[in-house]
Amino acid sequence: LQPGGRFLDVGLGAGQFINSVAASGCFEAVHGADPFRFAKYLELSSSIDRADASVAELPYPDDPFDVVTCMEVLEHVPDEIFELGLSELRRVCRGQLITTVPFEEPEPIYSGHRRRFESEDILRVFPRAERVLLDRPGMSWAVMEEWPVGPFPGGSPLRLAAVEAVLDAQRRYPEQAESWSGRLRRSRTGR
């Protein structure tokens, strides 16, 4: 995450991520939005400003946030508000927008998921995003990073972090270097 300024997390779940962000002290203001208060939701910091709001109706003016995250949410959003939800995320973000979705989720998909994301979907829905595939056993995840005006100066922080992680893995595990090189190529091309 690009530190400083105002931060918004949409889809708080149990609160693990927003609590970590608030504890980091990297942002002058930390906001969260979720239409549900899950039984396990825990707020550990009084600096968190929470709104009981849907991704499709964020109660903020245009462009108030320097960083907006929406992770493990979009696969749950009903079709009738999906495009509106994406528009709202982009509307309230003046800086870095990070979203994540399951990538090529094995079928049948989880009962709480409304959609399955494949390469074509990622390219269509996030045409300007830097994309990184997190290859995990059982389920891969796609991470998308967008900036409202052109690419981030000096390269995307997300892309740079992904490249650094692959290079570190190559140094630590030279016997698997060929496999990691393939992942790095996919990371650089967004596939």
Side-chain angles (χ1 to χ4, degrees):
L1 303 178
Q2 187 67 32
R6 296 167 49 100
F7 171 85
L8 171 66
D9 184 36
V10 178
L12 301 173
Q16 309 94 310
F17 184 65
I18 197 162
N19 282 300
S20 297
V21 170
S24 75
C26 291
F27 296 93
E28 65 187 50
V30 176
H31 297 260
D34 198 314
F36 307 107
R37 285 195 183 251
F38 294 95
K40 293 183 179 181
Y41 177 74
L42 183 61
E43 206 167 273
L44 301 175
S45 173
S46 61
S47 68
I48 297 171
D49 184 5
R50 182 198 161 101
D52 293 330
S54 163
V55 66
E57 296 181 66
L58 295 173
Y60 308 106
D62 293 352
D63 303 323
F65 297 105
D66 300 287
V67 176
V68 175
T69 58
C70 185
M71 301 182 299
E72 316 318 311
V73 172
L74 296 175
E75 64 272 20
H76 299 277
V77 175
D79 290 339
E80 58 271 14
I81 63 169
F82 182 77
E83 293 295 330
L84 179 57
L86 282 172
S87 294
E88 281 289 277
L89 290 170
R90 292 171 176 141
R91 179 186 67 78
V92 300
C93 184
R94 68 175 168 229
Q96 182 184 35
L97 171 61
I98 295 179
T99 53
T100 65
V101 296
F103 181 71
E104 296 183 350
E105 181 177 2
E107 295 186 277
I109 64 173
Y110 168 69
S111 63
H113 291 178
R114 305 294 178 105
R115 69 187 31 78
R116 182 174 187 268
F117 292 89
E118 297 185 13
S119 295
E120 301 79 30
D121 304 309
I122 300 291
L123 293 172
R124 179 182 52 78
V125 174
F126 305 98
R128 292 179 0 108
E130 294 282 333
R131 297 170 295 278
V132 174
L133 177 62
L134 301 176
D135 241 345
R136 303 280 187 211
M139 174 99 63
S140 294
W141 296 90
V143 182
M144 285 68 62
E145 176 184 37
E146 295 181 18
W147 293 85
V149 181
F152 184 75
S156 156
L158 176 63
R159 181 58 48 99
L160 296 175
V163 170
E164 287 173 18
V166 169
L167 294 175
D168 180 57
Q170 285 178 325
R171 285 190 294 274
R172 294 172 69 192
Y173 308 102
E175 67 279 1
Q176 295 177 358
E178 183 59 35
S179 170
W180 286 102
S181 294
R183 290 182 184 160
L184 179 58
R185 280 191 295 278
R186 278 198 313 252
S187 160
R188 286 181 177 158
T189 63
R191 293 186 201 122

